[in-house]
Amino acid sequence: PNWNFNVSHEGNYVILASEPSMLCGVDVAAPGQLRRQRNQGLEDLFDVMKDNFTAREWAQVRAAGPSEKSMEMIFRKLWSLKEAFTKARGDGLGFPFKRCEFTLGGSH
């Protein structure tokens, strides 16, 4: 078989996926390790990232509020899904993230 693999790391976390016949992509979002500029609030980060999510995805993030921790958790999950998807495609960050949309269900 022609093994496909993908790897991601952040902080103390590493993930590796491999598959003998299908494309695979992974991304890890380590808890509590969101990369922000010094003194950057969550709303500032959201403003910088606004063009990467669809309106429905932003609605999911906002619906998790008013707790910043909850909104950040949903944001990170959606971001990781987008990165994993585009890595599996082979595009990575060159793919316009707004072109793919994810919906989190259940208890997230």
Side-chain angles (χ1 to χ4, degrees):
N2 181 20
W3 284 88
N4 296 288
F5 73 94
N6 201 256
V7 66
S8 178
H9 69 90
E10 184 173 55
N12 296 325
Y13 296 85
V14 176
I15 186 169
L16 170 68
S18 63
E19 168 56 39
S21 59
M22 303 294 287
L23 296 174
C24 58
V26 295
D27 183 62
V28 64
Q33 297 186 21
L34 185 63
R35 296 180 190 135
R36 295 189 205 174
Q37 300 294 326
R38 187 172 293 208
N39 299 322
Q40 183 183 40
L42 190 61
E43 289 299 327
D44 296 325
L45 175 68
F46 288 174
D47 188 52
V48 169
M49 304 299 286
K50 67 181 177 248
D51 293 333
N52 291 292
F53 283 44
T54 67
R56 284 189 283 238
E57 288 170 329
W58 280 120
Q60 290 178 78
V61 171
R62 297 293 182 196
S67 162
E68 281 199 0
K69 185 175 181 178
S70 296
M71 288 192 296
E72 182 177 320
M73 181 183 71
I74 299 303
F75 172 85
R76 292 170 61 79
K77 286 181 179 186
L78 291 168
W79 182 260
S80 288
L81 286 167
K82 287 174 177 279
E83 277 209 39
F85 173 74
T86 59
K87 287 171 71 178
R89 287 176 40 97
D91 300 314
L93 296 175
F95 184 88
F97 277 16
K98 207 169 191 175
R99 286 187 50 206
C100 61
E101 182 176 83
F102 294 93
T103 302
L104 300 174
S107 62
H108 306 289

